[in-house]
Amino acid sequence: MDEVASIVEQGAARLDWLPDWMVSLLLLAAATGFVLLIHGAAFRALQRAVAEKSLFWRSLVARTRGPSRLALLILALSIATTAAPLPPNSVDAIRHGLLIAFMVLVGWTATTALHIWTVIYMRRFKLDAEDNLLARKHATQISILRRAGVTLAVTITLAAALMTFDGVRQYGVSLLASAGAAGLILGLAMQPVLANLAAGIQLAITQPIRLEDAIVVEGEWGWVEEITSTYVVVRLWDWRRLVLPLKYFIEHPFQNWTRDGASIIGTVMIYCDHSAPVAEMRAKLEEFVKESPLWDGQVVNLQVSDAREFTIEVRLLVSAGTSPKAWDLRCEVREKMIAWLNAEHPEALPRHRNDLGRQLAGATERRPARREPASRSARRVAPSAAAGEA
């Protein structure tokens, strides 16, 4: 480093015939151009080296481009500032700017390192697997903690940069010392933000919801699509998006269908006549689910869950590996069972009692008339004959 600085000073000494401001400007411009040229060539070579590698390595190189270029610029400009014939106030201003740039570099490097670590950590889990409960658990934790870490890094970097200015530092100290009404107003204004931040940390630790969890919230069914530092996006079954604050899931009840596993039991209700063949329906249900690729092979059952005045309530239970499969399996079983009852046992479907009355009436009309005894007919004819004779 000292050798490089001495070489730059010797080069500046050879330009003593120029004004000091021009020499300083040339040194700073030369340092900036040299860094951009060298860094650009090195970055292109590194891109060609990882072009055939996995997406992780290409993303790693792309994300380190900015911090590495800023670090080289800070180093080159600090050397050029030392060798440039600048007045003391200009040197102090440039060094102050380089100090702020170094703070930004530290915060930028921290956020980049955090992102790289999360990517490396999440490479062990696959969200597209059939049983992705563990992967969703870790993805939710990493997503929330990464956002909290980035927010913390940006806040600390900004605070450290502002504290380098005497006026801002004194103003901050006086504001903290005065407290009073300004502090109360600020605290009340920041209450929703702080509440959501605390809720986010609690969600990351306890995990009542995770990414891609199937939930029922506000009477809507959908999947947790995104968890940010302040809100949660729920992708509803009809492609709508329901956005809720983080603290909602701490303060209000909701249903989580994939809390401990993706498998779920679906219920189908069918209302039949009291004469329905329950045993045959139970055997037919087992036949239906065994033929379906949606069934996970765990639960299949049929029970008469209620008996009312005109119908009985038959409950069909079937299980599937995921909520969408359970929904499709329920629809499939319902359609097949009703079609089978229509074809094989139409009398088992619900009907009103006045239908039965009309059937009995029709049967009476179709019954042949009963022949009366001859003596009784003669008795009815005799008076008519006597009247004719009269």
Side-chain angles (χ1 to χ4, degrees), residues 157-196:
T157 301
L158 182 61
L162 291 177
M163 291 298 289
T164 60
F165 297 93
D166 293 337
V168 176
R169 182 171 61 247
Q170 292 175 359
Y171 178 76
V173 172
S174 62
L175 180 62
L176 292 176
S178 60
L184 180 60
I185 294 174
L186 181 62
L188 292 175
M190 292 292 291
Q191 185 178 2
V193 178
L194 296 176
N196 281 318

Side-chain angles (χ1 to χ4, degrees), residues 206-284:
T206 59
Q207 289 198 341
I209 58 172
R210 291 178 293 264
L211 292 174
E212 293 302 322
D213 265 349
I215 63 174
V216 178
V217 58
E218 293 290 321
E220 300 281 359
W221 177 71
W223 296 269
V224 178
E225 183 177 50
E226 184 181 3
I227 301 177
T228 68
S229 57
T230 56
Y231 61 87
V232 176
V233 179
V234 181
R235 183 179 71 255
L236 301 181
W237 65 274
D238 56 358
W239 298 353
R240 290 178 295 151
R241 299 298 190 271
L242 180 63
V243 181
L244 298 167
L246 277 177
K247 63 178 183 179
Y248 177 92
F249 295 91
I250 303 298
E251 300 175 353
H252 298 86
F254 61 94
Q255 297 181 34
N256 190 337
W257 289 7
T258 54
R259 180 68 177 86
D260 296 321
S263 298
I264 191 170
I265 297 176
T267 304
V268 176
M269 294 296 186
I270 296 181
Y271 296 91
C272 302
D273 190 76
H274 291 80
S275 61
V278 177
E280 294 183 33
M281 292 174 63
R282 184 175 295 112
K284 206 64 181 177

